[in-house]
Amino acid sequence: MSFPEGVDRDSMMKQAQNIWTMLDEMAENDHGAYRKFIDKHMKEGKEYMKPAEPHMCVMTMITSTKRKYFINFCSWNKVPDPKTPEEAIPVIGTQVLQDKDENGDFSYSGVAFSPKILEEFGIDCINLSDRSSLINLAIDYIHNQHKITLSRSFSILPSTTRVKGNLQVLQKALQGKHQNSDEEFDGQLSDLEKTFGLQGSGAKDSLMNKLANLSTEDNTQEKHAPNIQIPGLGKEQPKKQNLIEEVSSTNQRQSSEVKTPTYSLEEKYKEENLEELILTIKLQGVNKVSECELDISEDDIELAVDNRYHLNVSFPYLIDDSNASAKFNKSNSSLVISLPVQT
């Protein structure tokens, strides 16, 4: 049994003793309630002890080296929800890891959020702007933790590929971040379990994990959560039009009337070779391509629609900008740009 760093052992032992005293009295006076209590916490303890599960994987790149970088979003019961919509979203992240596949070397890491956060803002989120905000928050977190600047241009891998890299290594890395082993404390709890009697045998881990979760919630949030928020997190809160505003060193702050359009960047393969990137930009209210100003280079693209939209996207690969082409779809006001990748 182990607990996050910074937990007062004496305080936790005192709480453990109080719990065992309460259960001892319950076992003597109301055996049915005692059995129900134990069963309930055994079940909850098993859920709590499950490792982080892959939810979605996002591909971007390290801007300084153009190296591929995969962010593995994981759902984990050990990450608490924010107490209010205004509070920072707790997140636990791994170190930067390295791996390779048939396309070459790449870097990757894991970020774990509570199941509720990923249910509302993850891969199945209806509002693409909400999902993009969560992904950008993860990019901010990685930058703050590891001093790595990642491109804001990203693509979400298909749901059939929810993890990139070694899942077991990611799970162990997350577990190592969350817990600091303490054999002496675990031994003391085992002694308590023995003195409590055989009826409570096996309940130690589940009950104490729940106790750790409740007693260290504030400690976990403070240690692992950067100052990241999604306003309007609670469903009872009114929806805000702009969830997050970013100001980077390369982009000046836009006026409140100019919006960043929703977009996606997908890879198109011919057989097993990457052929081109397809950038799709949603431009609600735009009726023709002549309203758009495009500036395409081999590593990024800038789009501007006078007083309405502005977008700058960095490419994860060098593209053949001389052969790029754009097509505007009037039926859904979307601009589709084909970007051949340099060979």
Side-chain angles (χ1 to χ4, degrees):
M1 176 64 207
S2 54
F3 294 95
E5 296 177 2
V7 175
D8 186 340
R9 297 183 193 176
D10 293 336
S11 175
M12 292 297 290
M13 281 298 301
K14 187 175 181 179
Q15 291 185 56
Q17 290 170 339
N18 290 338
I19 286 180
W20 253 263
T21 299
M22 178 194 72
L23 290 177
D24 196 10
E25 294 174 354
M26 185 185 295
E28 291 181 2
N29 301 324
D30 190 344
H31 184 75
Y34 165 80
R35 187 72 263 167
K36 185 177 180 180
F37 182 89
I38 291 296
D39 290 343
K40 175 178 181 293
H41 282 276
M42 286 290 288
K43 181 178 180 181
E44 291 179 353
K46 288 179 181 179
E47 287 296 317
Y48 178 76
M49 291 300 292
K50 284 183 178 179
E53 293 295 333
H55 175 80
M56 70 175 176
C57 185
V58 171
M59 186 189 75
T60 181
M61 69 173 180
I62 302 173
T63 57
S64 60
T65 63
K66 306 297 183 182
R67 183 186 179 92
K68 281 187 181 180
Y69 195 102
F70 294 93
I71 307 173
N72 293 285
F73 286 73
C74 297
S75 176
W76 204 16
N77 290 323
K78 291 186 179 182
V79 184
D81 294 317
K83 294 178 181 178
T84 68
E86 289 74 30
E87 288 193 356
I89 298 174
V91 55
I92 300 175
T94 71
Q95 66 270 38
V96 179
L97 303 165
Q98 312 298 329
D99 207 337
K100 62 181 179 180
D101 58 15
E102 63 276 7
N103 295 316
D105 297 337
F106 62 86
S107 301
Y108 70 101
S109 63
V111 286
F113 294 90
S114 74
K116 179 181 177 182
I117 290 296
L118 291 178
E119 180 181 350
E120 293 190 27
F121 303 105
I123 192 169
D124 296 322
C125 179
I126 297 175
N127 190 322
L128 298 183
S129 179
D130 284 6
R131 187 174 65 190
S132 293
S133 293
L134 182 66
I135 293 172
N136 277 290
L137 294 179
I139 291 175
D140 289 337
Y141 172 81
I142 293 169
H143 175 75
N144 292 334
Q145 294 293 309
H146 306 298
K147 310 307 177 187
I148 295 176
T149 301
L150 300 179
S151 170
R152 297 288 171 172
S153 172
F154 54 80
S155 59
I156 300 174
L157 299 189
S159 58
T160 52
T161 308
R162 293 180 181 258
V163 64
K164 189 73 174 178
N166 190 308
L167 176 59
Q168 286 72 34
V169 170
L170 281 174
Q171 290 173 330
K172 289 181 179 179
L174 287 169
Q175 189 72 21
K177 284 282 187 178
H178 184 262
Q179 292 186 332
N180 181 36
S181 61
D182 191 339
E183 295 180 359
E184 179 184 356
F185 185 72
D186 190 48
Q188 290 173 322
L189 290 180
S190 296
D191 290 340
L192 280 174
E193 183 180 31
K194 291 176 182 178
T195 58
F196 183 63
L198 294 177
Q199 287 180 321
S201 181
K204 168 178 65 76
D205 285 341
S206 60
L207 285 172
M208 293 314 298
N209 270 301
K210 295 296 291 183
L211 175 63
N213 189 34
L214 293 173
S215 300
T216 65
E217 184 177 14
D218 291 337
N219 175 274
T220 301
Q221 180 161 334
E222 178 182 354
K223 181 179 179 182
H224 296 295
N227 188 22
I228 60 176
Q229 298 173 318
I230 296 182
L233 172 63
K235 292 184 178 180
E236 71 281 358
Q237 299 294 320
K239 193 70 174 178
K240 296 184 181 180
Q241 184 173 358
N242 293 316
L243 295 178
I244 185 171
E245 181 181 76
E246 286 184 0
V247 181
S248 71
S249 60
T250 56
N251 294 308
Q252 298 297 318
R253 180 174 177 173
Q254 303 294 315
S255 71
S256 59
E257 296 180 356
V258 178
K259 301 177 182 178
T260 300
T262 299
Y263 72 94
S264 64
L265 187 64
E266 301 178 2
E267 298 179 4
K268 185 177 179 181
Y269 288 83
K270 185 174 182 180
E271 295 179 350
E272 295 184 355
N273 299 317
L274 179 61
E275 186 177 36
E276 62 181 352
L277 303 177
I278 304 296
L279 177 63
T280 303
I281 309 171
K282 300 292 186 180
L283 298 168
Q284 185 177 3
V286 176
N287 299 315
K288 49 188 176 181
V289 71
S290 60
E291 298 180 52
C292 307
E293 294 183 11
L294 282 174
D295 183 12
I296 304 176
S297 69
E298 66 177 6
D299 56 10
D300 73 348
I301 182 172
E302 184 171 8
L303 174 141
V305 179
D306 192 32
N307 295 324
R308 280 187 282 179
Y309 293 107
H310 180 269
L311 177 67
N312 184 271
V313 177
S314 297
F315 303 135
Y317 309 95
L318 294 178
I319 61 102
D320 181 4
D321 53 302
S322 61
N323 288 314
S325 61
K327 184 182 296 184
F328 189 79
N329 189 334
K330 292 183 179 180
S331 64
N332 58 7
S333 297
S334 64
L335 181 63
V336 180
I337 306 171
S338 299
L339 304 158
V341 174
Q342 292 184 19
T343 57

